[in-house]
């Protein structure tokens, strides 16, 4: 076959793949929006559920998901970034460290329900935090820890060695170099990891099933130690239990739409931060 | 233009040149005898360096006079970069390396356990092969070095930033955009910024590791002029692939081959009448 024909064929296949991906992406947003929009109203966003969850709103679930996500990031971000710094900047490149790295990457592949059971055993029972926002946040935090560590490690590795050398050659200490040169340059990459984690945390059901989620609550969670409703679990509950599937399905799609928008909003904040940071340094 | 400067310079300092020759011939006496007017800034004794089991430097001995330019030449992989990176202990950052022997800076062995490596790196500045400004503004690139060394007063910092840019012959080109990103500068300007950054922390020795390798001829000429100017205040060691450059800027030249220092002496002598056949072969372009 002639070279230019092969090339055209190659590009055609790549374009087709992209179009298929775009189709599914568009289809998800379209279906969720079409089915969810009828449920959305001011009441839906601000009121707790009524009449066995067939009417009213989902405000406690929105607030709960927001708290859980925030809690998980607040726990996992400092811990993950610090671990990545240690692994990448301080630890010698030894056999043991390689094993640790591999283990962390494998941890990212563990099914989330396993984390749920682990959270139940450790946080709910052993530490006696009970079924609470605290237990749920910690469990979700551990779930995304590998994600944040590997994203941070990659971001740190992408900082040119010559910048570290330049800093050390000026008489800066190792720590000064990390704090002032390496971390600021790695920040955009680390934020990318955070963005991915937010999507993951907000949507996870299994890890909060035994650690944080309540089937129904009349009001908002009052403290770290209280149970909470959460959007993904609420969708699950609406679709599997209850007496009026017809009404509940609409509410479930409404929840899905809110979840989508919520994740988009939080990600947008992280993306804006990242762009702002980038443009202040490069060009 | 820079050629003329060089020649003029060599004529002006012929007596100084003679003194340096004397130092090179009798290194041991000089390090002990304080009455000699030209001070030995760096003295390297029986230096060996290993990457794992590979010996990269084999028994190097030499002395560098204060306020002189010493060029290190040799083919790729001969150990010249390794050598220069030993002088500010930068090679320690490479895992599985080992150093033997002594390097005296102002009479103190830099490998002495009580020696502070951070302080050595401040005293012995380094300019790298590829310009490596930080992803910060021009101003911050220089202010950073001052801050990490404990300077806090913003007025003093600003003054020193300006001074350093002036010394590195960059001020006139950047004075209206000090707070722009350093990454927007051209390659030659970036390299001069790196020199300014290095000067700001007031080192006494500056190591140049092939500073013009990635620069065009005009930028190269500017850097060379700068090196000749800096010599008045600093002791300079420069690694270069470019033999014309070595001839233009240096007072003393060392020729490295396969980890050994083959010949070390006044630049004029090395380039006109080398005593070792291998040096002659390299300089005349028969290998390397």
């Amino acid at each position: 076959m002639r070279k230019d024909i092969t090339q055209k064929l190659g590009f055609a296949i790549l374009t087709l793949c992209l179009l298929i991906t775009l189709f599914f992406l568009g289809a998800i947003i379209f279906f969720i929006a079409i089915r969810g929009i009828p449920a959305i109203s001011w009441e839906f966003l601000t009121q707790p559920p009524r009449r066995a969850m067939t009417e009213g709103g989902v405000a406690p679930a929105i607030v709960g998901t927001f708290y859980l996500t925030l809690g998980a990031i607040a726990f996992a971000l400092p811990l993950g970034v610090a671990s990545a710094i240690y692994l990448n900047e301080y630890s010698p490149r030894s056999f043991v460290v390689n094993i640790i790295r591999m283990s962390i990457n494998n941890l990212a592949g563990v099914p989330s329900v396993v984390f749920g059971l682990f959270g139940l055993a450790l946080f709910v029972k052993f530490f006696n935090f009970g079924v609470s926002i605290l237990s749920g946040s910690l469990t979700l935090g551990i779930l995304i820890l590998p994600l944040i560590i590997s994203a941070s490690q990659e971001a740190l590795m992408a900082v040119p060695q010559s910048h570290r050398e330049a800093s050390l050659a000026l008489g800066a200490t190792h720590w000064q170099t990390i704090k002032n040169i390496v971390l600021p340059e790695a920040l955009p990459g680390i934020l990318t990891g955070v963005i991915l984690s937010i999507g993951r945390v907000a949507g996870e059901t299994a890890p909060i099933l035994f650690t944080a989620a309540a089937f129904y609550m009349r009001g908002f969670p009052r403290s770290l130690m209280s149970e909470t409703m959460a959007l993904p679990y609420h969708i699950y509950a609406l679709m599997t239990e209850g007496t009026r599937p017809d009404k509940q399905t609409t509410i479930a799609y409404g929840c899905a739409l809110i979840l989508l928008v919520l994740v988009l909003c939080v990600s947008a904040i992280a993306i804006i931060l990242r762009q702002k940071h980038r443009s202040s340094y490069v060009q | 233009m820079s050629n003329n400067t060089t020649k003029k310079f060599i004529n002006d300092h012929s007596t100084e040149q003679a003194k340096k020759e004397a130092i090179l011939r009798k290194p041991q006496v000089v390090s002990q005898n304080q009455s000699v007017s030209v001070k030995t800034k760096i003295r390297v004794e029986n230096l060996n360096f290993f990457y794992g089991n590979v010996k990269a430097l084999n028994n190097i001995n030499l002395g560098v006079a204060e306020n002189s330019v010493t060029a290190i030449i040799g083919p790729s992989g001969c150990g010249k970069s390794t050598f220069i990176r030993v002088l500010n202990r930068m090679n320690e950052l490479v895992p599985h390396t080992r150093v033997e022997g002594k390097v005296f800076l102002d009479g103190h062995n830099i490998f002495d356990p009580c020696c502070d490596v951070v302080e050595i790196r401040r005293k012995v500045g380094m300019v790298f092969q590829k310009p490596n400004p930080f992803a910060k503004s021009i101003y911050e690139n220089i202010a950073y070095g001052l801050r990490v060394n404990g300077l806090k007063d913003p007025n003093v910092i600003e003054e020193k930033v300006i001074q350093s840019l002036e010394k590195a012959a960059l001020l006139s080109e950047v004075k209206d955009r000090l707070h722009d990103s350093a990454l927007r500068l051209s390659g030659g300007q970036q390299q001069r910024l790196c020199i300014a950054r290095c000067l700001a922390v007031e080192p006494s020795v500056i190591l140049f590791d092939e500073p013009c390798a990635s620069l065009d001829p005009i930028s190269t000429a500017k850097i060379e002029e700068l090196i000749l100017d800096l010599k008045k205040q600093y002791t300079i060691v420069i690694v270069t692939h470019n033999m014309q450059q070595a001839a233009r800027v240096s007072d003393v030249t060392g020729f490295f081959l396969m980890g050994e220092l083959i010949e070390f002496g006044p630049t004029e002598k090395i380039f006109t009448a080398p005593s070792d056949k291998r040096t002659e072969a390299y300089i005349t372009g028969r290998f390397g």
Side-chain angles (χ1 to χ4, degrees):
Chain A
M1 210 187 296
R2 277 176 47 201
K3 269 201 293 191
D4 57 338
I5 297 180
T6 325
Q7 162 158 309
K8 274 182 186 147
L9 196 68
F11 281 141
I13 292 171
L14 294 176
T15 314
L16 190 68
C17 290
L18 179 68
L19 287 177
I20 292 172
T21 313
L22 283 179
F23 168 76
F24 281 114
L25 194 68
I28 292 171
I29 295 171
F30 180 74
F31 276 107
I32 300 286
I34 285 291
R35 300 198 174 185
I37 286 173
I40 307 289
S41 65
W42 184 244
E43 188 197 11
F44 191 72
L45 295 173
T46 54
Q47 297 296 314
R50 278 184 290 118
R51 298 203 178 172
M53 300 198 293
T54 57
E55 279 172 34
V58 292
I62 297 174
V63 171
T65 288
F66 186 72
Y67 283 163
L68 285 169
T69 309
L70 213 64
I73 298 288
F75 169 65
L77 184 65
L79 205 62
V81 172
S83 310
I85 290 174
Y86 181 84
L87 284 172
N88 213 57
E89 307 291 321
Y90 277 103
S91 65
R93 313 230 173 261
S94 71
F95 182 69
V96 181
V97 172
N98 276 335
I99 297 279
I100 294 175
R101 283 201 185 124
M102 261 164 61
S103 315
I104 290 170
N105 284 334
N106 283 328
L107 211 60
V110 172
S112 54
V113 70
V114 176
F115 282 101
L117 281 177
F118 165 77
L120 174 68
L122 187 73
F123 301 122
V124 179
K125 300 286 180 206
F126 184 78
F127 286 143
N128 212 10
F129 294 154
V131 174
S132 62
I133 292 182
L134 183 62
S135 297
S137 294
L138 292 173
T139 310
L140 288 169
I142 287 177
L143 176 84
I144 55 165
L145 208 45
L147 208 67
I148 289 188
I149 292 177
S150 43
S152 306
Q153 263 194 298
E154 263 166 48
L156 291 169
M157 270 188 249
V159 177
Q161 183 63 21
S162 68
H163 288 191
R164 294 186 181 85
E165 288 184 349
S167 171
L168 293 169
L170 291 170
T173 61
H174 202 152
W175 174 241
Q176 285 174 324
T177 302
I178 290 170
K179 194 178 70 161
N180 301 309
I181 303 296
V182 180
L183 264 187
E185 283 186 43
L187 205 62
I190 293 172
L191 283 177
T192 306
V194 173
I195 295 170
L196 291 173
S197 312
I198 287 170
R200 181 95 198 269
V201 164
E204 278 293 346
T205 316
I208 54 171
L209 209 54
F210 324 118
T211 57
F215 185 71
Y216 167 69
M217 277 176 80
R218 199 189 292 251
F220 297 132
R222 287 176 190 277
S223 80
L224 269 180
M225 302 312 282
S226 63
E227 290 180 85
T228 180
M229 290 181 75
L231 284 170
Y233 181 67
H234 193 55
I235 294 173
Y236 172 76
L238 286 166
M239 297 302 283
T240 53
E241 287 167 50
T243 47
R244 296 289 303 275
D246 54 329
K247 280 188 174 176
Q248 288 170 213
T249 308
T250 315
I251 298 177
Y253 276 106
C255 288
L257 184 61
I258 291 169
L259 192 57
L260 221 60
V261 173
L262 201 68
V263 170
L264 215 67
C265 285
V266 184
S267 300
I269 294 170
I271 289 169
I272 290 167
L273 278 178
R274 186 173 67 178
Q275 284 305 327
K276 225 175 168 180
H277 182 85
R278 269 197 189 144
S279 57
S280 73
Y281 278 107
V282 188
Q283 283 155 19
Chain B
M1 187 173 95
S2 76
N3 237 339
N4 289 338
T5 345
T6 318
K7 272 181 197 142
K8 189 168 139 250
F9 167 79
I10 288 173
N11 292 336
D12 286 355
H13 293 74
S14 52
T15 48
E16 199 185 322
Q17 198 77 20
K19 273 180 212 157
K20 273 169 208 157
E21 274 181 56
I23 292 171
L24 293 162
R25 253 181 265 121
K26 291 185 193 169
Q28 299 306 326
V29 181
V30 172
S31 63
Q32 284 151 19
N33 188 348
Q34 298 298 317
S35 66
V36 174
S37 59
V38 178
K39 203 181 139 206
T40 305
K41 186 74 184 174
I42 302 172
R43 165 145 304 288
V44 178
E45 281 178 13
N46 307 323
L47 182 73
N48 295 312
F49 192 85
F50 301 85
Y51 290 107
N53 294 320
V54 181
K55 198 170 192 179
L57 291 176
N58 188 9
N59 197 30
I60 308 294
N61 286 283
L62 58 83
V64 175
E66 193 164 41
N67 298 343
S68 71
V69 178
T70 302
I72 307 290
I73 58 169
S76 296
C78 68
K80 46 189 200 306
S81 279
T82 302
F83 172 72
I84 201 175
R85 289 166 63 95
V86 166
L87 299 182
N88 65 344
R89 291 180 60 178
M90 200 50 98
N91 261 352
E92 282 170 27
L93 302 176
V94 183
H96 313 299
T97 54
R98 186 161 55 89
V99 66
E100 286 170 1
K102 289 173 180 171
V103 173
F104 294 98
L105 174 69
D106 295 322
H108 301 288
N109 184 6
I110 62 168
F111 299 119
D112 209 52
C114 64
C115 228
D116 178 11
V117 64
V118 172
E119 183 55 21
I120 286 170
R121 291 189 184 137
R122 193 201 56 78
K123 278 193 211 155
V124 184
M126 187 164 212
V127 176
F128 296 81
Q129 185 168 350
K130 270 174 83 180
N132 55 357
F134 303 124
K136 296 175 185 286
S137 71
I138 296 168
Y139 185 92
E140 280 303 315
N141 258 278
I142 301 174
Y144 171 70
L146 297 167
R147 290 203 192 100
V148 296
N149 284 293
L151 212 58
K152 292 203 177 78
D153 185 342
N155 296 326
V156 179
I157 289 178
E158 185 171 352
E159 196 180 306
K160 294 214 172 197
V161 168
I162 300 294
Q163 270 175 15
S164 310
L165 283 169
E166 176 103 65
K167 273 192 202 167
L170 187 62
L171 186 63
S172 59
E173 290 162 58
V174 301
K175 61 173 184 288
D176 301 324
R177 45 177 178 146
L178 287 178
H179 296 283
D180 280 12
S181 168
L183 303 180
R184 273 198 215 155
L185 297 173
S186 73
Q189 290 173 327
Q190 287 189 3
Q191 194 63 303
R192 275 178 285 148
L193 177 63
C194 292
I195 295 173
R197 179 173 75 182
C198 170
L199 297 177
V201 298
E202 293 169 5
S204 57
V205 178
I206 305 176
L207 309 173
F208 287 88
D209 188 358
E210 296 188 42
C212 304
S214 58
L215 302 183
D216 65 276
I218 293 170
S219 304
T220 301
K222 280 188 183 165
I223 303 267
E224 286 180 11
E225 254 176 75
L226 188 56
I227 289 173
L228 286 171
D229 192 45
L230 292 174
K231 188 178 104 138
K232 294 168 199 153
Q233 283 183 57
Y234 306 90
T235 305
I236 292 169
V237 181
I238 174 170
V239 162
T240 177
H241 257 300
N242 180 336
M243 279 175 287
Q244 284 77 34
Q245 184 170 68
R248 282 192 297 260
V249 301
S250 72
D251 306 314
V252 178
T253 298
F255 172 57
F256 275 65
L257 188 63
M258 298 174 77
E260 292 194 39
L261 180 59
I262 303 295
E263 194 164 349
F264 189 68
T267 300
E268 275 186 323
K269 183 172 172 294
I270 295 259
F271 280 93
T272 52
S275 51
D276 194 289
K277 271 187 188 157
R278 290 167 292 181
T279 315
E280 194 182 347
Y282 181 70
I283 284 166
T284 53
R286 251 174 284 158
F287 72 90

